[in-house]
Amino acid sequence: MEKHEQRSRKKKSLGVSGLALVGGGIMAAALIAAFAYIQVGRSYQKVFFPKTVINGMDVSKKSVMEVKKMIALTIDDYKLTLQERGGTTEEIKGMDIGLEAVFDGKLESLLGEQKPLSWAKHLRKPQSFEIGTMIQYDQNKFDTVVNGLSCLKIDEEDKAQNASISDYVSGQGYQIKPAKDGKELNPEKLKSEISNAVMDLKPELNLDEVGAYISPKVPTNDPGLVSKVQTMNKYVNTTITYNFGDEKKVLSGDTISKWVKTDDSGQVYLDSKSVSDYVKELASTYDTAYKAKNFTTSTGQNVKITGGSYGFKINQSAEADELAELIRTGNSQVREPVYKQRGASRGAKDYGNTYVEINLTAQHIYYYKDGKLIVESDFVSGNESKGWSTPAGAYALTYKERNATLKGENYRTPVDYWMPFNGNIGLHDAKWRSTFGGSIYKTSGSHGCINLPPAVAKTIFENIGAGIPVLCYHLPGTESLTTSNGTGKKEETKGAQQPTTQAGTQPTTQAATQPATQPTTAAPTTAAPTTAAPTTAPAATTPTTVSAHPSFDQEAGPGASKSTGKNKSGPGM
């Protein structure tokens, strides 16, 4: 076989001339590209860069003249639609307000500020400009058109309404009445927002969104209003139940709501006068002090006792203060009012079943304790002929004292048992008398006190305490013509014994004829001279239950105090 020589695979070098040819081609391409870039850049000396927006208009690659034409065309057909509450609309046309373009060189300045050779980066990077005074309107025409808008003409009921507090509703209290958005516009705000929209050539303007409407001054969630309602409901949600024995008086929000007031600054307060008037009404209804009392005597006859201060008496000032504070703090409770003084029990018989009964006509006394007759006796009361008659009425025993001295202008008489009940008038033993009852009192009576046989005075003293009712009355037809010596009058003066009936139906010890009409207990014309009783009794005779009684500035009354040794003055026998 014939052998072929292997050919060499080595490349041939281009040489210097070849390299020069390639390099020249690249440079030429670069120059061409640069020339083309520069040429494109030069075009942006007259038009705006790509992705350029002026006042919301896309002016990319537009000349100043083209932009001006765009603006002019836009203005010629411009109209602004107002979106109003309630779904209504109104239009404002550019021609109606004298809208026109104004070209003051700002477009030219903006174009002149462009750097043409930087055009390439604006292919990806947009730019936006806002320039003013490209358009203008006639202010007079503008004001006329805006002032004539229908949305500015509304009825009173279309105005915004503040949130407010409802009237009181029984069982519900007070609530917040929500604020109501109205259709009333703020004229200045409206003009400003319309002007801005026109200058931006916006096609629509939502008056609600730009806040052109007048809002309620007091919104539904106003903290002050919420706090006020909470306070008012705290007041009216308070219930105070007063106990007057078996009878109850309920104070609820239906009444309290009438006392809730608001001052000039809007602060809620409780009317003090209304509270005081309510307590005054309670006192008028439930106080028994100083009021006539129907009483069934031991003889079975009924009398009406007038005069005296015994019974329940509300401390109106203190109770009004406490009641107002309970309402202000929302503290519902069952309570008794604050009393100045109290009776023994509630109901028709506030004197209870422990009391002293004094028949001034019959000159006969009874003492009942827990409904049982402890003692009864004749006595001698104030001297009628001298005008010192013992006053009728219902009183409370002020205190009791052993070994007092009755002191007057012309006498000084010691007694073993002193029990005042009406100022310086009281019950006491009268050792100087040998007879009691009958008509002694008419000419030979005391200075007003009830003179008792010593044994009777002792029995009463040992069984009585401060605050026990003393019921004095006149009962025509029960006059007695006989007297007793204190140890028994035809067995009418009795020691401690239990009657067959309770106080309300006590046993009769004197014959009497029931008068045709219920007798009254008016006191005789003139009472005895008076002095005050001491504010406290000796410790040895302090009762366990004490009613409220008047206090005095000095020790007074018959006798000398065992505890102080001070002299006392007052009527005696």
Side-chain angles (χ1 to χ4, degrees):
M1 296 180 58
E2 186 178 348
K3 287 187 177 181
H4 297 283
E5 281 189 22
Q6 186 175 5
R7 294 182 180 179
S8 175
R9 298 283 184 181
K10 292 183 179 179
K11 294 182 179 178
K12 295 181 179 180
S13 173
L14 294 175
V16 174
S17 60
L19 290 172
L21 183 61
V22 171
I26 292 173
M27 289 182 62
L31 288 173
I32 292 171
F35 178 78
Y37 184 86
I38 292 171
Q39 286 297 107
V40 172
R42 286 178 178 174
S43 70
Y44 285 110
Q45 292 177 340
K46 297 180 179 180
V47 298
F48 290 98
F49 283 143
K51 296 187 178 181
T52 299
V53 175
I54 298 177
N55 286 15
M57 294 185 299
D58 185 1
V59 297
S60 301
K61 298 183 180 181
K62 296 288 192 300
S63 66
V64 170
M65 186 58 66
E66 288 174 322
V67 173
K68 289 181 178 180
K69 288 181 179 180
M70 290 172 61
I71 294 173
L73 289 172
T74 302
I75 291 174
D76 289 342
D77 298 328
Y78 178 74
K79 63 180 179 181
L80 175 64
T81 301
L82 303 179
Q83 301 288 345
E84 301 167 0
R85 281 181 179 172
T88 58
T89 61
E90 291 187 77
E91 287 184 350
I92 296 177
K93 295 180 180 180
M95 65 179 68
D96 293 336
I97 60 175
L99 188 65
E100 61 181 356
V102 177
F103 303 116
D104 56 359
K106 289 186 178 179
L107 284 173
E108 286 82 357
S109 297
L110 193 60
L111 182 63
E113 291 173 1
Q114 289 188 161
K115 295 179 180 180
L117 294 182
S118 65
W119 63 269
K121 69 178 181 180
H122 292 287
L123 294 174
R124 297 182 303 274
K125 183 180 179 182
Q127 60 180 351
S128 178
F129 300 97
E130 293 290 334
I131 61 175
T133 327
M134 287 183 60
I135 56 176
Q136 69 180 13
Y137 55 77
D138 184 299
Q139 188 65 51
N140 291 331
K141 291 182 178 180
F142 179 85
D143 290 343
T144 299
V145 170
V146 173
N147 291 336
L149 291 171
S150 298
C151 58
L152 288 174
K153 300 175 178 64
I154 64 167
D155 297 327
E156 188 68 26
E157 60 267 20
D158 288 329
K159 291 184 178 180
Q161 295 180 10
N162 292 331
S164 59
I165 300 175
S166 69
D167 292 334
Y168 170 79
V169 177
S170 181
Q172 298 180 24
Y174 299 94
Q175 296 180 348
I176 293 179
K177 296 167 65 176
K180 179 183 176 182
D181 290 329
K183 296 181 180 180
E184 183 180 12
L185 289 156
N186 182 329
E188 296 305 317
K189 178 69 172 176
L190 177 65
K191 286 183 179 181
S192 174
E193 293 299 334
I194 291 177
S195 177
N196 292 337
V198 168
M199 296 304 291
D200 291 339
L201 297 177
K202 291 182 178 179
E204 291 185 354
L205 178 65
N206 189 308
L207 300 184
D208 220 344
E209 292 178 358
V210 297
Y213 287 98
I214 295 177
S215 300
K217 294 181 180 179
V218 182
T220 303
N221 61 349
D222 180 74
L225 188 66
V226 172
S227 175
K228 186 184 298 185
V229 168
Q230 290 174 343
T231 299
M232 295 170 73
N233 280 330
K234 179 172 64 175
Y235 291 175
V236 299
N237 288 336
T238 303
T239 300
I240 305 297
T241 302
Y242 283 101
N243 275 342
F244 296 101
D246 294 334
E247 189 173 351
K248 298 184 184 301
K249 177 71 173 179
V250 178
L251 172 63
S252 67
D254 291 353
T255 298
I256 296 173
S257 62
K258 300 173 184 176
W259 307 347
V260 179
K261 309 291 183 182
T262 304
D263 62 20
D264 293 339
S265 65
Q267 296 299 310
V268 176
Y269 69 95
L270 197 65
D271 184 54
S272 297
K273 183 179 183 303
S274 296
V275 177
S276 296
D277 288 347
Y278 180 81
V279 174
K280 183 178 180 180
E281 182 181 345
L282 286 181
S284 176
T285 303
Y286 295 101
D287 277 2
T288 60
Y290 302 98
K291 292 183 178 179
K293 305 182 189 303
N294 294 317
F295 178 69
T296 301
T297 69
S298 292
T299 63
Q301 296 170 272
N302 295 322
V303 295
K304 178 177 286 186
I305 300 177
T306 59
S309 61
Y310 184 83
F312 290 91
K313 183 174 179 60
I314 294 175
N315 186 328
Q316 295 184 37
S317 176
E319 179 56 28
D321 289 343
E322 290 201 15
L323 177 57
E325 183 62 20
L326 291 174
I327 295 172
R328 291 190 186 102
T329 57
N331 187 3
S332 298
Q333 62 176 240
V334 178
R335 66 184 272 107
E336 284 191 334
V338 180
Y339 286 109
K340 278 188 175 180
Q341 65 184 55
R342 304 174 65 97
S345 63
R346 275 293 178 183
K349 299 179 179 180
D350 64 350
Y351 44 83
N353 59 5
T354 296
Y355 55 84
V356 177
E357 176 187 347
I358 298 177
N359 185 335
L360 295 169
T361 304
Q363 294 285 286
H364 203 75
I365 187 171
Y366 308 83
Y367 178 50
Y368 290 91
K369 186 174 184 179
D370 297 327
K372 298 179 181 180
L373 181 64
I374 301 301
V375 66
E376 65 171 296
S377 171
D378 286 341
F379 62 81
V380 176
S381 62
N383 192 321
E384 186 178 274
S385 64
K386 293 185 178 181
W388 293 344
S389 296
T390 304
Y395 308 93
L397 192 75
T398 311
Y399 65 96
K400 64 179 182 179
E401 182 179 358
R402 286 278 279 125
N403 302 320
T405 298
L406 308 182
K407 182 180 177 182
E409 291 182 4
N410 300 313
Y411 63 87
R412 184 182 180 88
T413 305
V415 296
D416 295 333
Y417 306 102
W418 170 236
M419 296 164 279
F421 59 84
N422 179 14
N424 64 330
I425 297 174
L427 306 165
H428 63 77
D429 53 304
K431 296 186 292 291
W432 54 89
R433 291 190 184 277
S434 59
T435 57
F436 300 85
S439 58
I440 297 173
Y441 74 99
K442 292 186 177 182
T443 56
S444 299
S446 71
H447 288 78
C449 290
I450 302 297
N451 289 184
L452 297 170
V456 175
K458 179 177 184 296
T459 299
I460 293 176
F461 188 92
E462 291 173 347
N463 287 278
I464 203 169
I468 298 300
V470 179
L471 309 177
C472 306
Y473 60 87
H474 296 280
L475 184 56
T478 61
E479 296 85 351
S480 175
L481 300 177
T482 59
T483 60
S484 67
N485 59 12
T487 59
K489 183 184 74 171
K490 298 181 180 180
E491 299 184 355
E492 290 184 19
T493 302
K494 304 176 183 177
Q497 58 180 309
Q498 181 172 340
T500 57
T501 59
Q502 297 296 309
T505 56
Q506 295 133 357
T508 60
T509 59
Q510 301 181 42
T513 302
Q514 179 71 31
T517 58
Q518 184 172 348
T520 60
T521 59
T525 55
T526 307
T530 61
T531 56
T535 57
T536 57
T541 59
T542 301
T544 56
T545 303
V546 181
S547 294
H549 300 290
S551 60
F552 302 92
D553 296 332
Q554 62 181 356
E555 284 192 283
S561 170
K562 284 286 186 180
S563 60
T564 66
K566 294 181 180 179
N567 291 330
K568 298 182 180 181
S569 62
M573 303 182 297

